[in-house]
Amino acid sequence: MSRPIPIALTIAGSDSSGGAGIQADLKTFSALGVFGASVITALTAQNTLGVSAIHDVPDDFIAAQMDAVFSDLAVKAVKIGMLSRPGAIRTVAEGLARHRARPVVLDPVMVAASGARLLSDDSLNDLRTILIPAADLITPNLPEAGALLGTAAATTEEEMERQGAALLALGARAVLMKGGHGEGPESTDLLVTADGTRRFTAPRHVTRNTHGTGCTLSSAIAAGLASGLDLPEAVEKAKAYITGAIAAADRLDVGAGHGPVHHFFDLWRD
């Protein structure tokens, strides 16, 4: 007898170069044994050197995609990435409520690895007040956490923990403060919840090929949740996965700029 494969849904923008966004999310789901569905919120013309154009998907079509997926597929977890406009943020929040979608992992994407801004200034407040309270977990990097709180990026673990607690106060049920933008031989993430803080540490691998790291980590967590793991275990397994994908990134030769991580490092024989 076959068993139903867990299904995870990504709601995010498309990356034409395949390293981040919807494409990274679906690769991550597949690598971790989860069936991936998608709702595309924006089309980007980009490569490893940067983003040259963004075409936003109309709000009614975002809603139609969500309704189509949820009316037929047994979605076990949702990952949210690039939402560049207030209308898209509101539409997604309404769709989550309409379909009682849980759990929800929100990656507050603001800037691409190339430096291109992916979130409009007038969207930041809606992200804080509408979408964060709908999330079971948010996964900001250090600059994103600072921007959400209107303060400088954390530089110590103590500051990371304080900022994580401040983000909890915005309504999120849990916050993963990602330390990839920090310094030192180790990359440390802090999972901050009402019950306390857990520390996840891995060796820091120095490479310029980090395109899609945030998308990949949040999708790996969603894959774990869809598979029935509890949140700390999903974070632990996702941390191990992204560490391996970064460590193997230089085995790929994609583009002339910030290349992608290796989503299939444990499956391809290269």
Side-chain angles (χ1 to χ4, degrees):
M1 295 288 293
S2 62
R3 63 178 181 85
I5 187 170
I7 299 172
L9 169 65
T10 169
I11 303 174
S14 170
D15 172 7
S16 55
S17 71
I22 288 284
Q23 288 81 353
D25 298 342
L26 294 177
K27 289 174 184 177
T28 300
F29 293 160
S30 295
L32 297 177
V34 171
F35 183 86
S38 64
V39 169
I40 298 177
T41 61
L43 307 177
T44 68
Q46 69 173 295
N47 54 31
T48 65
L49 298 172
V51 179
S52 57
I54 297 175
H55 180 74
D56 292 310
V57 173
D59 297 339
D60 60 349
F61 195 73
I62 294 174
Q65 292 177 81
M66 293 184 72
D67 290 344
V69 171
F70 282 110
S71 67
D72 183 40
L73 277 62
V75 175
K76 298 300 184 183
V78 178
K79 175 267 168 92
I80 301 173
M82 177 185 174
L83 297 174
S84 61
R85 299 173 297 104
I89 291 172
R90 296 189 189 102
T91 297
V92 169
E94 290 167 359
L96 295 175
R98 185 164 61 252
H99 295 288
R100 298 182 176 87
R102 295 281 301 277
V104 174
V105 179
L106 170 63
D107 186 24
V109 179
M110 297 180 188
V111 179
S114 62
R117 286 184 59 84
L118 300 176
L119 181 74
S120 65
D121 291 335
D122 58 350
S123 299
L124 189 57
N125 188 61
D126 283 347
L127 189 65
R128 289 191 195 102
T129 60
I130 296 175
L131 210 51
I132 285 180
D136 294 279
L137 174 70
I138 63 172
T139 62
N141 60 34
L142 300 184
E144 288 165 348
L148 286 169
L149 295 170
T151 188
T155 58
T156 67
E157 287 190 32
E158 291 75 14
E159 291 177 349
M160 288 171 63
E161 187 168 9
R162 284 197 296 272
Q163 290 191 6
L167 290 170
L168 277 184
L170 295 180
R173 296 171 182 84
V175 179
L176 183 67
M177 294 287 295
K178 299 182 300 190
H181 282 73
E183 298 179 353
E186 294 184 328
S187 173
T188 299
D189 301 343
L190 300 181
L191 178 63
V192 183
T193 70
D195 296 326
T197 300
R198 298 196 187 199
R199 190 173 184 266
F200 300 87
T201 299
R204 187 184 301 278
H205 296 280
V206 179
T207 174
R208 72 174 183 174
N209 297 318
T210 57
H211 188 51
T213 50
C215 304
T216 299
L217 177 61
S218 57
S219 295
I221 296 170
L225 295 174
S227 299
L229 303 182
D230 64 21
L231 181 58
E233 188 176 8
V235 171
E236 182 177 23
K237 289 186 176 297
K239 178 75 169 176
Y241 173 72
I242 189 59
T243 300
I246 294 172
D250 290 350
R251 285 158 50 187
L252 299 176
D253 184 16
V254 177
H258 294 283
V261 300
H262 196 333
H263 293 94
F264 301 112
F265 68 92
D266 203 29
L267 299 172
W268 290 3
R269 296 292 174 257
D270 49 18

